Amino acid sequence: MNIETVRVPDLGGAEEVEVIELTVAVGDSVAVEQTLLVLESEKATMELPSPVAGVVKKILVAEGDKIEREGEPLMEIEGSEESEGSEAGESGESGESGESAPAEEGEEEDAQADAKEAPPPEEEDQSAVETPSAEERDQRAAEAPPAQAARPAPPAAQDRETAEPTPGAESRPAAGGSPGAEVYAGPYVRRLARELGVDLRRVEASGPRQRILKEDVQAFVRQRLDDQAAGGGGIPSVPEVDYGRFGPVSEGELTKIGRLTAANMHRSWLNVPHVTQFDAADITELEAFRRGQAQEAEARGVKLTPVPFILKACAAALRDNPVLNRALSANGAGFVQREFFHLGMAVDTQRGLLVPVIRDVDRKGIWELAAEIAEMADKARAGKLKVNEMQGACFTVSSLGAIGGEGFTPIINTPEVGILGVSRSAVRPLWNGTEFAPRTLLPLSLSYDHRVVNGGDGGRFLTQVVALLADIRALLL
């Protein structure tokens, strides 16, 4: 009996190849060009065919083995009598007599000898090598004499196993599969899938006998990224509802500003871990002082509201609590410390919410701030704000005092790390140590980015704002 050794072919420049699949076992009968095993490098996948028809005697490698040298033995095949006859027919010799083989076997043996002489495929610098396709090999096996045809080898046990679900991934079968269904993939592809967090049951296979290739995993990841970009980060969409079934309806479109605001708020809410702290400032003295300036305000032609005092208090608190005046760097590994104090002021308009920026709040007096706030609010409502007048803020104040409410949770205008929500003030009884006295309380809510600002930072900032509004003389210090 003739023993044929199957060896590693020319690696085509690859540093190493990995045995990713054994398609036969010891004792299996194989046909000429039936796939014995599959090798894979970083550049290509290569199926090695049997050079002869016979029986697998030894398998010298295991799946997952790395091989770095050409010519390494992989498997031994014991050729059948037909294979030996083929060799004799090709050489014109038979045993010691030198007589030619019987004529009726010659054509068949010559065909097998030709197959034996065919060199193993060489690996090329491309994703697929020039090897016979699975369909071609099956066709050749079907056309061979019955003695040579062998059953197709099943996929290796290690590759035909149940995929483990990816943590956080939706438990959904691959195309045509079901939860817990088997997948067919080599160790390299499985490792790649684990690194990328891909559930192989959800990947469409394109390889022979439904084997999942690395290109299939890469295509799956690309598609998921595209889907997330188009669908808002992969969050399940809200189902569409036919409201007309319940009663009369009409349809409209959001304004451009409304669409931009919605996108910005959605992005901030998805990316920023929000924390909100609540407190109330006793503005009894502040309100008394403000009302006492009515004649001065009329003479200046300026309406004096609580907003310039709130902005001034926030600027002072930002100066003393610089963490709230930072911006997280794009890579999340550092921050930018702002040394200026520009504050955004949310303005409700018919076209949507606009946020003009009041610059250098720390350097301006109350009357100057009051005049600028009124001017910017008028420009916002008239649609005359310039782009640069809505850029560069360090912190935002959103006041709903004129509308009402006892509190709300404002969404951070990222990349800022904080926003102060102001609700409607109200006179309430407050214990002064000896009795309850009527005091004007202003509800405040501070939302901050918990990646940058911790609870202590936020608490100190809000406490200082409350104290400054309770005694505006401290703003002079």
Side-chain angles (χ1 to χ4, degrees):
M1 292 291 180
N2 180 48
I3 301 295
E4 285 287 338
T5 301
V6 180
R7 300 178 182 274
V8 176
D10 181 4
L11 296 181
E15 295 183 358
E16 68 175 19
V17 291
E18 178 180 353
V19 179
I20 67 167
E21 181 182 348
L22 292 171
T23 62
V24 295
V26 173
D28 283 354
S29 296
V30 296
V32 175
E33 296 202 11
Q34 178 180 328
T35 298
L36 302 175
L37 71 164
V38 182
L39 303 178
E40 185 174 65
S41 71
E42 290 295 325
K43 299 180 179 179
T45 300
M46 176 170 47
E47 299 184 7
L48 294 189
S50 175
V52 296
V55 178
V56 178
K57 301 300 292 182
K58 290 183 180 180
I59 298 178
L60 306 175
V61 292
E63 290 183 0
D65 284 356
K66 303 285 198 311
I67 304 171
E68 299 180 355
R69 292 181 301 200
E70 300 171 6
E72 284 286 303
L74 302 171
M75 192 176 297
E76 291 183 359
I77 308 294
E78 183 179 34
S80 62
E81 293 182 1
E82 289 82 356
S83 296
E84 294 179 4
S86 171
E87 295 174 7
E90 181 183 43
S91 63
E93 299 179 357
S94 177
E96 298 178 358
S97 66
E99 296 179 358
S100 61
E104 60 270 19
E105 298 179 3
E107 295 180 3
E108 174 187 320
E109 293 166 348
D110 287 343
Q112 295 179 5
D114 291 341
K116 176 184 175 184
E117 291 299 323
E122 294 186 358
E123 184 178 356
E124 300 178 8
D125 188 12
Q126 56 188 30
S127 61
V129 295
E130 295 295 331
T131 60
S133 67
E135 291 78 9
E136 291 173 341
R137 291 196 301 276
D138 292 343
Q139 181 65 24
R140 294 180 188 180
E143 294 175 353
Q148 298 177 26
R151 60 176 175 79
Q158 293 94 321
D159 290 346
R160 181 70 74 177
E161 60 184 38
T162 301
E164 298 180 1
T166 304
E170 181 182 352
S171 180
R172 196 180 94 190
S178 59
E182 295 178 338
V183 295
Y184 181 20
Y188 173 80
V189 172
R190 290 183 182 277
R191 183 169 64 251
L192 177 64
R194 286 194 299 270
E195 292 172 352
L196 296 177
V198 173
D199 184 348
L200 287 176
R201 293 173 301 177
R202 305 175 66 188
V203 177
E204 188 78 29
S206 66
R209 301 189 304 283
Q210 293 299 299
R211 184 161 65 89
I212 298 175
L213 307 178
K214 64 177 181 294
E215 291 81 6
D216 300 331
V217 176
Q218 292 164 349
F220 177 84
V221 172
R222 283 194 298 270
Q223 184 60 50
R224 290 285 293 173
L225 291 175
D226 292 342
D227 291 345
Q228 290 182 12
I235 294 177
S237 60
V238 177
E240 187 173 354
V241 178
D242 180 11
Y243 298 103
R245 295 187 297 116
F246 309 114
V249 297
S250 60
E251 295 185 358
E253 291 187 0
L254 293 174
T255 63
K256 182 178 179 181
I257 292 176
R259 292 194 299 270
L260 290 174
T261 299
N264 291 339
M265 293 299 98
H266 188 225
R267 180 173 62 247
S268 177
W269 188 254
L270 289 176
N271 289 282
V272 176
H274 284 61
V275 175
T276 304
Q277 292 183 217
F278 300 88
D279 206 338
D282 184 346
I283 60 170
T284 306
E285 271 71 32
L286 187 155
E287 284 296 275
F289 173 80
R290 187 174 67 86
R291 287 192 295 268
Q293 299 299 313
Q295 290 184 351
E296 181 68 16
E298 185 177 358
R300 291 175 177 266
V302 175
K303 183 178 180 180
L304 188 60
T305 69
V307 175
F309 296 95
I310 295 171
L311 293 184
K312 196 71 175 176
C314 287
L318 288 172
R319 178 197 62 203
D320 296 341
N321 300 274
V323 174
L324 274 293
N325 206 26
R326 291 175 180 173
L328 193 65
S329 59
N331 61 10
F335 62 86
V336 176
Q337 182 67 59
R338 301 181 181 92
E339 303 296 341
F340 52 88
F341 302 93
H342 304 339
L343 273 65
M345 177 188 66
V347 178
D348 185 26
T349 75
Q350 290 184 345
R351 298 165 56 232
L353 188 67
L354 296 177
V355 186
V357 177
I358 311 298
R359 302 183 183 279
D360 300 316
V361 174
D362 59 317
R363 300 179 184 179
K364 296 174 180 177
I366 294 296
W367 290 115
E368 185 179 3
L369 287 174
E372 188 172 349
I373 289 169
E375 178 187 1
M376 297 296 275
D378 289 342
K379 292 177 69 173
R381 296 187 182 100
K384 296 182 178 180
L385 281 175
K386 298 177 182 178
V387 174
N388 66 332
E389 292 177 322
M390 295 185 287
Q391 295 177 336
C394 309
F395 186 88
T396 294
V397 173
S398 178
S399 177
L400 299 181
I403 300 175
E406 296 184 349
F408 66 101
T409 303
I411 297 177
I412 299 165
N413 191 17
T414 187
E416 299 165 27
V417 299
I419 182 172
L420 183 69
V422 181
S423 297
R424 182 175 57 187
S425 62
V427 177
R428 300 183 184 279
L430 191 66
W431 182 254
N432 61 15
T434 58
E435 61 181 356
F436 285 100
R439 307 296 291 182
T440 303
L441 301 181
L442 180 68
L444 302 175
S445 50
L446 172 70
S447 291
Y448 53 82
D449 184 342
H450 211 2
R451 297 174 301 176
V452 180
V453 183
N454 61 38
D457 299 322
R460 283 185 289 272
F461 176 90
L462 187 56
T463 298
Q464 184 173 358
V465 170
V466 168
L468 291 172
L469 293 177
D471 188 353
I472 60 173
R473 294 174 298 180
L475 293 174
L476 300 175
L477 301 177

